[in-house]
Amino acid sequence: GVPLPLSPVEHHYAVSHPLEGAWDGMPCCRDPDGTIYWRGEGDGVLLGAFQAYTKPWNVDPIPADFSFQLLEEDWEKFEVPIREGYRRLPGLEQAGFEKFVNGPECFTPDNQFLLGETPEIANLYVAAGFNSAGIACSGGAGKVLAEWMTGGEPPFDLWAVDVRRFASFQNDRDFLKERVGEVLGLHYQMGWPNREFETGRDRRRSPLHDRLAARGACFGNKMGLERPNWFARSGQTPQLEYSFGRQNWFEAHQAEHIATRESAAIFDQTSFSKFALEGKDALVLLQKLCGNDIDVPLGKVVYTGLFNQRGTFESDLSVIRTGEDSFYIVSSSAQRIRDAHWILRHVEAGQQVKLTDITDDLSVIGLMGPNSRQILNRIVPEEFSNFSFGTSRKICIQDVELRAARITYVGELGWELHIPSAGAGIVYDAICEAGQDLGLVDAGHYAVNSLRLEKAYRAWGADLSPDDTPLEAGLSFALAWDKKIPFIGRDALLQQKDTGVCKRMVSFVVDDPDQMLWHDEPIYRDGICVGYTSSAAYGHSLAASVALGYVRWPEPISRRFILDGHYEIDVAGERVPATAHLKAPYDAKRDKILG
C-alpha cells in the first residue's frame, strides 16, 4: 500500500563486430549533443544512448517471474543513435553490429532515486529507482540509508532523493508512462536554469487556471500543480526560451516585479501545502515541534521553523491559531508529505491530535503592493483599514467566506486570502475589477522569487535545509528559547549559540547590472572561495542580480568578518564584484511592510 512513483522504460545499446583499434579498456566517451556514449567491449565497441525521449515499457502488470530478462530488439528506435555513432566512429558503419540489447530500467518522475523511510509505514525504508545511476550511487546510498535507519533521521540533507518528496497522485501509471520517457534523456540534456518538464503536465490545476491562461500565463509545475511563472506581455508567446543569460521573460518579469513595488500585483499561491491541526493536545505538540512560541492570541500568524535533534531545519512554515485547540498550518508546496509525516511521527501515545491535509480544499490569492489596501477596501469597505501585520481574520467577499492574513513573502504591504476552492474565481474577479485603475497586474512565481530575494527572505530547499540551523540562517528572531515546553533541537542550538557559527547566510548584490545569477555560483571573500549562492534572481528594484548564500570559515564568524570582506561571485568563470549585506538590501527597516 505504499506508493513509490517509478516506472520502467526500454533502454538500449548495441555491440559492434570486431573493430580495428578497439579494445576492452577503451575509455567511456560521451557525446551529449548526439545523446550517445561508447566504450570498448572486447575487440568491439558498445554504443549506448540516452535519447531525449524513450519508450515506456508498456506491460501491466510486470510478470512476477521477470528478472534480468531482455525485451525485443528495436533497431528503428535506435536509428538516430546509430547515425550519431557512425558520425563519431566512422569505422562502426563498416564493422556493423552483432548484438542489440534492450532491457527495462526503472525511472522516477524527476530523475532522482527514492531513499528513506516511507511516511505510510514506520520503519519501512526504501532504496529504489536509481535511474541508470545505481552503480555510481550505491556506496553512498547504502551508507546514508544505514545511518538513517540507525539514527532515525537523515544524516544530512537528502531532500533531493527523499521518498517523501512525492505524493500518491504522482504514482498514477498514465502520468508515469509519459514522464519517464522524458526523464531518461535528462542524463544528457543541457541543465538549463528554470527548465520545466514537458510531459505529464496539466493534470492538476488551480481553480484560477483558465483565467490566468487567458491573461497570458506561462505555467510551471510544482508538486504536480500548474502555476504561473510569468505573464506574457502584448504580442508575446507565453513559452520559455532557455538561456544562461537573460531569458525571454526578462522584460515581462520586470514589469511584474516593479508593479508589485509601486502599485499592486495579484498572485495565485494555491500550491501552498495546507493543514488543519486540532485536538486538546495540538498546542502541546506544536510547542514541542516549533522553534517559535505558538501559544499566541487567536488569529495571530507565527513564522517558525521545525528542527531535528541536531538543531537543523526539517521545515519552515506559518502557523495561524484559529481556536483554543485548533491551528491552520501553511507550508511550502514541496513539503506536503514531509511535513505531515514529521508532525504525525511526533504524536505521543494517548495525545488527542488530528491532522488533516486540506491542501486541495483551499486556494490562496496573494494581493501585494502599496495599493493593496485601497483595492480591498473598495470590495469590503474599511475591513482592511485596521488590520495589523501578522494577524488574520475571517471576512466575506461577494458572499465567499475566507481567511485573510496580513503577511508577505515579497516585502510589501499585502494580504494572503485563503479561500474555499469553489469561490476562488469569484474573489479573483472582484479584486481584478477593483484594481483596474490602480495599476494592478497579474504576477507569477518568478516575480515572487526576485521580490523575496531583495528582502532576503529564505526559501526551503534552497536557503534552508537539514544541513542548516536558524542561527546560521540568520533566523534566531524566530526562536523562543524559554518556552515551558522546550522545542526539539533547542539543546543543540544553545550549544551552537555559545560556540558561535562557522557559516552564515549573507545577501549579495552584484555590482555589474548586466550580470545574471541563477544559484550555485561560487562566492569568494578576499580571493578565497568561502561558499556558493543558494538562490538568486535579478532584483529589478535594485537594478542588479541579488543572491543569498552561506559564507563558510574554519572559525566562528563575526558580523565584522562578514562586512569587512571584499566579495566576488564567479559567473561562468568570471569573478564579478558583489556587495555583502546582513540586512535586507531592500527596505531593511520594513517601512513598506508595516505602513
Side-chain angles (χ1 to χ4, degrees):
V2 175
L4 299 177
L6 27 90
S7 190
V9 299
E10 297 186 15
H11 199 185
H12 326 86
Y13 67 84
V15 179
S16 76
H17 290 291
L19 181 64
E20 184 178 355
W23 79 102
D24 204 45
M26 284 174 62
C28 184
C29 301
R30 294 182 174 187
D31 175 5
D33 289 338
T35 73
I36 60 172
Y37 67 92
W38 64 91
R39 60 174 173 82
E41 181 82 352
D43 55 0
V45 168
L46 183 153
L47 178 70
F50 285 89
Q51 294 161 275
Y53 292 92
T54 194
K55 292 168 58 177
W57 184 32
N58 287 312
V59 57
D60 187 11
I62 295 172
D65 60 351
F66 188 95
S67 179
F68 296 101
Q69 300 173 40
L70 297 179
L71 309 177
E72 293 183 4
E73 296 180 353
D74 192 344
W75 291 99
E76 183 179 352
K77 178 62 178 174
F78 209 61
E79 180 181 352
V80 173
I82 286 178
R83 187 167 65 244
E84 292 294 323
Y86 290 164
R87 187 170 69 88
R88 287 295 183 187
L89 299 170
L92 275 179
E93 188 166 10
Q94 184 175 356
F97 294 93
E98 70 173 47
K99 182 168 64 173
F100 186 96
V101 176
N102 183 13
E105 190 167 5
C106 242
F107 282 78
T108 64
D110 66 358
N111 205 28
Q112 299 284 2
F113 51 90
L114 304 176
L115 201 70
E117 184 183 23
T118 64
E120 294 82 8
I121 300 178
N123 297 320
L124 174 61
Y125 288 83
V126 172
F130 278 81
N131 310 295
S132 279
I135 294 174
C137 296
S138 57
K143 178 179 185 294
V144 298
L145 186 60
E147 292 171 351
W148 196 336
M149 294 170 74
T150 56
E153 297 174 356
F156 52 84
D157 182 13
L158 292 167
W159 177 237
V161 297
D162 195 315
V163 68
R164 295 171 294 176
R165 71 188 186 275
F166 292 120
S168 58
F169 55 77
Q170 289 164 297
N171 200 34
D172 176 81
R173 293 191 181 191
D174 291 336
F175 161 73
L176 287 171
K177 285 178 180 178
E178 280 188 47
R179 175 59 61 80
V180 295
E182 176 186 4
V183 163
L184 176 139
L186 296 181
H187 282 268
Y188 279 14
Q189 289 196 28
M190 184 66 76
W192 296 113
N194 296 322
R195 188 193 185 281
E196 294 279 351
F197 285 106
E198 298 170 356
T199 56
R201 297 290 300 271
D202 266 340
R203 292 178 169 268
R204 295 182 67 234
R205 292 180 167 190
S206 155
L208 302 178
H209 185 278
D210 291 346
R211 287 173 169 83
L212 302 177
R215 290 173 175 259
C218 181
F219 291 96
N221 190 279
K222 192 72 170 180
M223 198 57 169
L225 183 73
E226 299 293 314
R227 65 181 195 177
N229 284 333
W230 56 281
F231 287 81
R233 307 180 78 189
S234 178
Q236 186 179 17
T237 302
Q239 185 173 338
L240 286 169
E241 296 175 10
Y242 298 120
S243 166
F244 287 102
R246 295 180 178 181
Q247 297 185 356
N248 67 311
W249 44 263
F250 186 84
E251 285 78 16
H253 166 252
Q254 180 182 37
E256 296 169 26
H257 182 114
I258 296 300
T260 310
R261 293 279 187 242
E262 297 181 353
S263 51
I266 186 168
F267 300 86
D268 181 8
Q269 297 176 285
T270 298
S271 64
F272 279 146
S273 301
K274 302 173 279 286
F275 305 92
L277 185 70
E278 304 167 292
K280 77 177 189 65
D281 296 309
L283 178 60
V284 172
L285 176 63
L286 286 176
Q287 290 290 67
K288 175 183 174 182
L289 293 176
C290 298
N292 215 336
D293 188 3
I294 310 300
D295 192 4
V296 294
L298 300 186
K300 182 69 176 175
V301 184
V302 179
Y303 168 75
T304 185
L306 308 183
F307 309 108
N308 52 43
Q309 294 291 353
R310 303 191 307 277
T312 61
F313 281 94
E314 287 294 328
S315 186
D316 79 319
L317 41 77
S318 295
V319 179
I320 300 176
R321 190 168 196 173
T322 56
E324 286 299 317
D325 299 319
S326 61
F327 300 86
Y328 176 45
I329 299 172
V330 183
S331 182
S332 68
S333 306
Q335 287 285 90
R336 183 174 180 178
I337 306 303
R338 181 193 178 109
D339 282 348
H341 180 232
W342 184 257
I343 292 169
L344 291 173
R345 70 177 291 188
H346 287 95
V347 177
E348 298 177 5
Q351 282 190 327
Q352 296 182 24
V353 172
K354 179 184 178 183
L355 181 72
T356 306
D357 185 333
I358 54 175
T359 301
D360 296 332
D361 299 336
L362 297 173
S363 291
V364 181
I365 292 176
L367 180 63
M368 304 291 160
N371 292 343
S372 58
R373 180 187 283 118
Q374 186 178 353
I375 292 170
L376 290 170
N377 275 336
R378 284 183 174 182
I379 305 169
V380 189
E382 301 307 314
E383 182 72 50
F384 292 87
S385 297
N386 185 23
F387 201 134
S388 300
F389 181 76
T391 64
S392 75
R393 65 176 71 151
K394 289 285 190 74
I395 66 166
C396 271
I397 293 180
Q398 304 276 341
D399 295 327
V400 177
E401 187 177 275
L402 56 92
R403 177 171 293 277
R406 188 178 164 188
I407 51 179
T408 178
Y409 193 45
V410 300
E412 295 292 334
L413 172 70
W415 281 263
E416 287 181 5
L417 308 177
H418 296 250
I419 312 159
S421 293
I426 296 171
V427 175
Y428 174 85
D429 292 343
I431 293 172
C432 289
E433 183 178 351
Q436 274 184 344
D437 62 337
L438 292 174
L440 179 66
V441 304
D442 288 281
H445 282 266
Y446 288 174
V448 171
N449 192 46
S450 59
L451 291 158
R452 66 99 182 168
L453 280 164
E454 289 186 338
K455 282 292 295 174
Y457 291 154
R458 283 60 164 157
W460 169 261
D463 314 308
L464 306 176
S465 80
D467 288 343
D468 312 310
T469 74
L471 302 182
E472 295 164 344
L475 298 175
S476 57
F477 70 86
L479 295 175
W481 298 102
D482 299 324
K483 289 193 298 183
K484 292 181 180 179
I485 301 175
F487 60 88
I488 295 172
R490 175 178 173 270
D491 291 345
L493 290 172
L494 282 172
Q495 183 177 351
Q496 188 180 62
K497 189 178 180 183
D498 288 339
T499 59
V501 299
C502 294
K503 71 175 186 180
R504 181 70 164 83
M505 176 65 76
V506 179
S507 183
F508 296 95
V509 180
V510 174
D511 294 354
D512 183 350
D514 294 327
Q515 293 289 347
M516 194 79 182
L517 300 186
W518 296 105
H519 56 76
D520 293 310
E521 294 91 357
I523 301 168
Y524 288 82
R525 180 189 183 274
D526 296 340
I528 299 172
C529 187
V530 291
Y532 53 89
T533 62
S534 51
S535 57
Y538 198 90
H540 295 283
S541 308
L542 304 173
S545 283
V546 60
L548 288 170
Y550 286 99
V551 170
R552 293 165 165 82
W553 201 248
E555 300 172 355
I557 296 174
S558 68
R559 182 176 184 275
R560 200 69 264 153
F561 175 88
I562 295 293
L563 297 179
D564 282 351
H566 170 70
Y567 291 92
E568 297 170 302
I569 310 292
D570 186 321
V571 181
E574 178 187 355
R575 294 191 191 178
V576 180
T579 302
H581 300 262
L582 284 175
K583 294 183 178 180
Y586 175 85
D587 189 28
K589 295 183 179 180
R590 305 172 73 214
D591 294 333
K592 304 265 282 183
I593 297 172
L594 301 177

